[in-house]
Amino acid sequence: DARVTQTPRHKVTEMGQEVTMRCQPILGHNTVFWYRQTMMQGLELLAYFRNRAPLDDSGMPKDRFSAEMPDATLATLKIQPSEPRDSAVYFCASGLVASGHSSNQPQHFGDGTRLSIL
Amino acid sequence: KNQVEQSPQSLIILEGKNCTLQCNYTVSPFSNLRWYKQDTGRGPVSLTIMTFSENTKSNGRYTATLDADTKQSSLHITASQLSDSASYICVVSVNEGTYKYIFGTGTRLKVLA
């Protein structure tokens, strides 16, 4: 089965450091999502891309977070500088959405990056 | 305010029993409703997706229902197995030009032998 691959699986670093999380979407999928999950807030959508173009990043703190898709096989989420409140599990998901159609397609999630900022 | 509420927060049942999880939402304009299963330490896995016009959808032993009038959905698990122990998350998507996803906080299910 094709899977979304996220690296690293775990990251522990000190506050103020830059953190980069990577995601390889399923080949052929044209939509990539970044989510954050915490015990307190549950799952939250941070940003998503369609055909590598950012469509919505309103869920993402703009001052320190950035998301990019340098090519169709790689999506990145960066935090700079990181803060303890950024500690969470970050999930990437990908899906296939036909142009002009609604999002009634399943999203396929990776197993996440567990981030701890000390 | 767009909200999705799930109940119960947690549930313990014996293997082989059935159970029903609830999801109530106040979301507009509604696009679709999804149920996900999330095992500990893993990403969510899609179980069902229902649009406004669909009122039931099955995936093996999982059956989701949707009442768009009362804005309620349920996920029924038949003949539960130990592997059903997981969190079940209800997600409603909103079409506001771009799509917004409103997540419930989940129901944590434990199936005991």
Side-chain angles (χ1 to χ4, degrees):
Chain A
D1 278 346
R3 303 188 64 166
V4 173
T5 303
Q6 290 188 247
T7 56
R9 289 296 315 277
H10 304 273
K11 176 76 174 178
V12 180
T13 192
E14 294 184 342
M15 65 178 294
Q17 297 298 306
E18 177 178 299
V19 174
T20 298
M21 291 169 274
R22 293 177 174 81
C23 168
Q24 181 176 1
I26 292 173
L27 189 63
H29 283 184
N30 63 355
T31 307
V32 174
F33 305 82
W34 281 106
Y35 293 92
R36 175 170 62 185
Q37 187 175 38
T38 62
M39 289 293 291
M40 293 297 294
Q41 299 292 332
L43 268 167
E44 305 171 276
L45 176 65
L46 297 175
Y48 73 96
F49 293 76
R50 178 80 43 82
N51 297 321
R52 296 176 55 201
L55 278 195
D56 191 330
D57 62 2
S58 60
M60 200 166 68
K62 302 290 193 305
D63 56 339
R64 298 181 300 107
F65 284 59
S66 62
E68 296 179 346
M69 276 202 78
D71 61 61
T73 64
L74 177 64
T76 63
L77 179 66
K78 290 186 181 180
I79 308 174
Q80 170 62 21
S82 58
E83 297 181 2
R85 59 182 169 151
D86 301 329
S87 297
V89 182
Y90 290 82
F91 288 104
C92 173
S94 70
L96 182 60
V97 180
S99 175
H101 285 66
S102 65
S103 62
N104 297 334
Q105 296 297 321
Q107 296 178 21
H108 299 262
F109 282 75
D111 284 333
T113 294
R114 184 174 296 275
L115 178 63
S116 296
I117 308 296
L118 306 177
Chain B
K1 181 184 176 183
N2 289 327
Q3 272 190 317
V4 175
E5 295 183 351
Q6 293 187 243
S7 62
Q9 194 171 17
S10 61
L11 182 62
I12 301 174
I13 61 173
L14 293 176
E15 188 179 14
K17 299 295 187 183
N18 303 336
C19 68
T20 300
L21 314 181
Q22 299 291 343
C23 173
N24 297 339
Y25 60 92
T26 55
V27 166
S28 181
F30 177 91
S31 179
N32 60 55
L33 185 146
R34 303 161 186 250
W35 283 95
Y36 285 95
K37 177 188 179 189
Q38 185 175 21
D39 293 319
T40 301
R42 305 297 299 275
V45 174
S46 180
L47 294 176
T48 61
I49 302 171
M50 288 183 291
T51 62
F52 184 88
S53 59
E54 297 173 298
N55 54 24
T56 187
K57 186 163 279 191
S58 291
N59 179 354
R61 294 179 296 99
Y62 301 100
T63 299
T65 63
L66 175 64
D67 186 332
D69 291 331
T70 61
K71 299 188 176 182
Q72 296 180 325
S73 176
S74 64
L75 180 69
H76 186 75
I77 304 174
T78 303
S80 60
Q81 300 177 358
L82 297 179
S83 60
D84 293 330
S85 297
S87 289
Y88 292 84
I89 302 170
C90 174
V91 186
V92 181
S93 69
V94 180
N95 187 353
E96 297 178 339
T98 60
Y99 288 95
K100 306 291 185 187
Y101 296 89
I102 316 299
F103 289 82
T105 53
T107 292
R108 187 178 299 274
L109 175 66
K110 179 72 173 175
V111 180
L112 300 178

